[in-house]
């Protein structure tokens, strides 16, 4: 069974600090990796995706991928209280034929303290 | 969420009754998914569809069935609701890459 593992947290950082969220996955054949943010009582929303080894930056967010180590991370620079949410790591896997599906980790709860 | 709606948003039902949740999209996306989200378990795939009348099981499909007779609608049916099916249900759509989620249905089985 394809697995995606995240530290459930909670991860608590002060405002302005860098928050680092980590994720490992079991399927070496995985091609694409996603980070979703979910506020309490709301639906998940896509914030970043990455499919090549290395770093990908988008504003205050940086996704990092290391396929050899089967590791993906999300860095949030200059953390704000509005970043307080659960962050879900997701991995895209082939599910047979030409179909794909996302497998999610259980999420890491991030709290940014003013 | 733009282009995807779930109904109802909230429902309370009794054990043993059938329940149908609806997901409607206006994006003409090929792929549609039903997930449930529970504390300590995260998002788990129930069923998914890759086209009209084409569906497949996910990791937690027991006790659930789905139908997709039109591109825009994906129905999830709990054939005989049990308390273990109390959960938040999310529908998602995709054209093969990132997913867009609906607002969710909170279902309580009493």
């Amino acid at each position: 069974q394809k697995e995606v593992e995240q530290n459930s947290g909670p991860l608590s950082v002060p405002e302005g600090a860098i928050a680092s969220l980590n994720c490992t996955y079991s399927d070496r054949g995985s091609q694409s990796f996603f980070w979703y943010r979910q506020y309490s009582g709301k639906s998940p929303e896509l914030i970043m995706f990455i499919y090549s080894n290395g770093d990908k930056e988008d504003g205050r967010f940086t996704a990092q991928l290391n396929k050899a180590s089967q590791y993906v991370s999300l860095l949030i620079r200059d953390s704000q209280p509005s970043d307080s949410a659960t962050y879900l790591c997701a991995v895209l896997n082939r599910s047979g034929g030409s179909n794909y599906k996302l497998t999610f980790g259980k999420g890491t709860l991030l709290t940014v303290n003013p | 969420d733009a282009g995807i709606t779930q109904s109802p948003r909230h429902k309370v039902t009794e054990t043993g009754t059938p329940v149908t949740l609806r997901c409607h999209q206006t994006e003409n996306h090929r792929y549609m998914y039903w997930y449930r989200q529970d504390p300590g378990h995260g998002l788990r795939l129930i069923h998914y569809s890759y086209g009209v009348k084409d569906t497949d099981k996910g990791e937690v499909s027991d006790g659930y069935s789905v139908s997709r007779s039109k591109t825009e609608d994906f129905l999830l049916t709990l054939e005989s609701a049990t308390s273990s099916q109390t959960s938040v249900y999310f529908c998602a759509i995709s054209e093969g890459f990132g997913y867009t989620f609906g607002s969710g249905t909170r279902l309580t089985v009493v």
Side-chain angles (χ1 to χ4, degrees), chain A residues 26-83:
Chain A
S26 62
D27 184 2
R28 282 198 172 276
S30 300
Q31 295 296 314
S32 303
F33 308 86
F34 302 81
W35 284 100
Y36 284 80
R37 177 176 62 200
Q38 187 175 24
Y39 292 113
S40 180
K42 302 295 185 182
S43 58
E45 56 178 329
L46 180 66
I47 54 173
M48 290 283 292
F49 68 91
I50 187 168
Y51 50 85
S52 298
N53 274 329
D55 294 0
K56 179 181 179 182
E57 188 174 318
D58 184 0
R60 295 187 296 111
F61 298 95
T62 299
Q64 300 175 315
L65 174 61
N66 184 325
K67 289 186 177 181
S69 300
Q70 295 176 241
Y71 177 90
V72 59
S73 65
L74 179 69
L75 301 178
I76 306 174
R77 290 182 300 281
D78 188 24
S79 295
Q80 301 297 310
S82 59
D83 294 326

Side-chain angles (χ1 to χ4, degrees), chain B residues 66-79:
Chain B
V66 290
S67 67
R68 193 171 179 196
S69 58
K70 298 184 290 184
T71 298
E72 56 266 35
D73 289 325
F74 191 34
L75 304 180
L76 176 71
T77 297
L78 288 65
E79 292 138 10

Side-chain angles (χ1 to χ4, degrees), chain A residues 4 6 8-9 11 19 29 31 40-41 53 56 65 69 84 86 89 112:
Chain A
V4 179
Q6 293 181 256
S8 62
L11 174 65
Q31 295 296 314
S40 180
N53 274 329
K56 179 181 179 182
L65 174 61
S69 300
S84 298
T86 296
C89 174
V112 180

Side-chain angles (χ1 to χ4, degrees), chain A residues 9-15 17-19 21 79 84 108-114:
Chain A
L11 174 65
S12 183
V13 301
E15 184 174 356
I18 296 175
L21 303 160
S79 295
S84 298
T108 298
L109 176 62
L110 172 66
T111 300
V112 180
N113 302 305

Side-chain angles (χ1 to χ4, degrees), chain A residues 1 32 34 36 38 42-44 46 49 51 88 92 95 98-102 104-106, chain B residues 1 30-31 33 35 37 40-43 45 48 50 59 90 96-99 101-103:
Chain A
Q1 181 163 346
S32 303
F34 302 81
Y36 284 80
Q38 187 175 24
K42 302 295 185 182
S43 58
L46 180 66
F49 68 91
Y51 50 85
L88 304 171
L92 191 68
S95 63
S98 60
N99 299 320
Y100 293 85
K101 61 183 179 182
L102 277 180
F104 286 84
K106 295 179 182 178
Chain B
D1 296 83
R30 177 184 175 194
Y31 297 95
Y33 305 83
Y35 285 85
Q37 188 173 38
H41 291 279
L43 281 162
L45 182 64
Y48 65 102
Y50 43 92
E59 60 182 301
F90 286 103
F97 204 64
Y99 289 13
F101 283 86
S103 298

